[in-house]
Amino acid sequence: MSTLTNIRTRPLMPGFGAEILDVDLARADAETLKGVVETFHRHGAIVLRGQTMDPGQLTAFVAQFGEPEDHTLKEFTVPGYPKVYRLSNRVVDGKPIGAHNDGVGWHTDYSYKPEPVMATMLYAVEVPPEGSDTLLADCVAAWNALPPERQQALDGKVLHHSYQYFMATREYGARELSDELKAANPDVYHPLIRTHPADGRKALWPSTGTVIEVMGMPKEEGLKLVDELVEFATQDRFVYRHKWQVGDLLMWDNRCTLHTGTLYDDTKYIREMHRLWVRGDKPY
Ligand SMILES: O=C(O)CCC(=O)C(=O)O
Ligand SMILES: [Fe+2]
């Protein structure tokens, strides 16, 4: 247990993440909210359980962290709340209300953009009794665990990310992009090793899905390297597994983590999560 700010926390993993205790976000005062934001920046991820937040309250809360970011696929946002995106297998009047299995596979969000989102927030509206855990990998710990000569060989490498490639090839929800989406999402280049602006800590920052090459390496060899690094960073010793309950709010810092959703029996259960994003800056 720790009381670094005005709020009580306990680590999600040794050295990574914090569960924030005794805070009701719907009623929290400005001082408490400041403590929540500070805790987030220090720990890479936060969890608050037992919350009751409607889409308007979620939008107001995420704005404490920065500017809420828009979502790429507008059809899955909550009507009237453009910053709240639904992840769900629920179908209403024959139409899916959300993206299903959107984040299965290790990745960091919006990596196909010049300024990927800083933070992702998920709020559990309805969850299956089993499956659908969300996993977070501590990429600072992964970087620190690499031998110095390996660190030296990797530092400075640049990854080529492509939304078009990602959407055409992903296992769940692959689709051909409209000309409009293609034009709005040109390819981008990001460092493999990312520096956290808050304190200069470095993170191993590969991703799967959007990466099509490592600059300066033959394609196949580069992708093999990325796969190997993702595998390294997502070993159990670096991973926090979140088991969902209704009312949980989980938020992670995309600058220093990788994450993945996991499958569940979607013929038996309904899952509905509300996702919000906070704008980020250019990785370096
Ligand atoms: O559904 C999950 O557990 C993860 C979803 C995800 O990756 C995302 O929303 O960015
Ligand atoms: Fe994601």
Side-chain angles (χ1 to χ4, degrees):
M1 213 73 81
S2 134
T3 49
L4 281 173
T5 59
N6 54 335
I7 51 177
R8 286 200 312 135
T9 62
R10 73 177 159 227
L12 298 177
M13 299 260 291
F16 176 73
E19 179 174 355
I20 295 176
L21 306 161
D22 316 325
V23 172
D24 177 355
L25 287 174
R27 281 173 197 80
D29 59 20
E31 187 65 17
T32 306
L33 290 175
K34 210 170 135 241
V36 170
V37 173
E38 255 174 60
T39 304
F40 171 81
H41 284 294
R42 281 186 204 175
H43 295 275
I46 53 171
V47 168
L48 294 104
R49 297 212 185 246
Q51 305 299 314
T52 311
M53 299 281 275
D54 65 29
Q57 288 168 315
L58 288 170
T59 305
F61 175 58
V62 87
Q64 300 283 327
F65 295 82
E67 200 182 324
E69 179 67 273
D70 285 324
H71 298 277
T72 312
L73 303 177
K74 315 292 180 213
E75 70 263 38
F76 295 138
T77 55
V78 176
Y81 297 95
K83 310 296 178 185
V84 184
Y85 184 85
R86 282 192 285 220
L87 303 172
S88 190
N89 58 330
R90 197 193 302 283
V91 175
V92 175
D93 299 331
K95 273 177 66 181
I97 63 156
H100 183 30
N101 291 334
D102 213 20
V104 176
W106 287 104
H107 65 283
T108 174
D109 283 347
Y110 228 38
S111 54
Y112 50 84
K113 285 288 196 185
E115 297 186 339
V117 285
M118 185 270 278
T120 302
M121 179 189 297
L122 291 186
Y123 173 70
V125 176
E126 185 164 350
V127 292
E130 56 190 354
S132 95
D133 301 345
T134 302
L135 277 51
L136 304 181
D138 175 1
C139 292
V140 173
W143 169 251
N144 289 335
L146 287 171
E149 41 316 334
R150 194 80 209 280
Q151 290 184 335
Q152 217 172 359
L154 294 174
D155 213 354
K157 289 210 182 297
V158 172
L159 304 182
H160 176 181
H161 294 258
S162 164
Y163 182 65
Q164 207 172 314
Y165 169 83
F166 168 55
M167 290 304 276
T169 57
R170 71 178 183 171
E171 194 172 351
Y172 301 100
R175 56 158 82 189
E176 181 64 26
L177 294 188
S178 63
D179 289 341
E180 203 183 339
L181 272 175
K182 273 183 204 164
N185 296 283
D187 287 8
V188 297
Y189 300 85
H190 292 313
L192 169 64
I193 310 307
R194 187 166 185 184
T195 305
H196 200 292
D199 55 8
R201 67 193 193 268
K202 284 186 174 187
L204 186 55
W205 204 60
S207 193
T208 50
T210 62
V211 178
I212 58 174
E213 66 178 323
V214 179
M215 300 310 288
M217 286 178 79
K219 280 206 172 172
E220 218 170 290
E221 199 181 311
L223 291 180
K224 226 175 104 202
L225 173 67
V226 170
D227 284 347
E228 181 213 315
L229 293 173
V230 169
E231 206 179 309
F232 178 80
T234 59
Q235 295 171 79
D236 285 353
R237 61 179 165 141
F238 303 130
V239 170
Y240 166 69
R241 173 180 286 267
H242 189 74
K243 291 199 167 288
W244 290 101
Q245 293 164 17
V246 169
D248 284 358
L249 189 145
L250 167 68
M251 193 166 172
W252 61 82
D253 187 333
N254 283 299
R255 298 168 295 190
C256 55
T257 56
L258 288 176
H259 64 277
T260 180
T262 58
L263 300 176
Y264 58 98
D265 188 345
D266 54 10
T267 63
K268 259 199 211 67
Y269 306 125
I270 293 288
R271 184 183 199 237
E272 182 177 341
M273 315 293 285
H274 288 178
R275 181 183 79 189
L276 295 93
W277 273 344
V278 183
R279 267 191 96 141
D281 42 26
K282 194 171 161 38
Y284 58 90

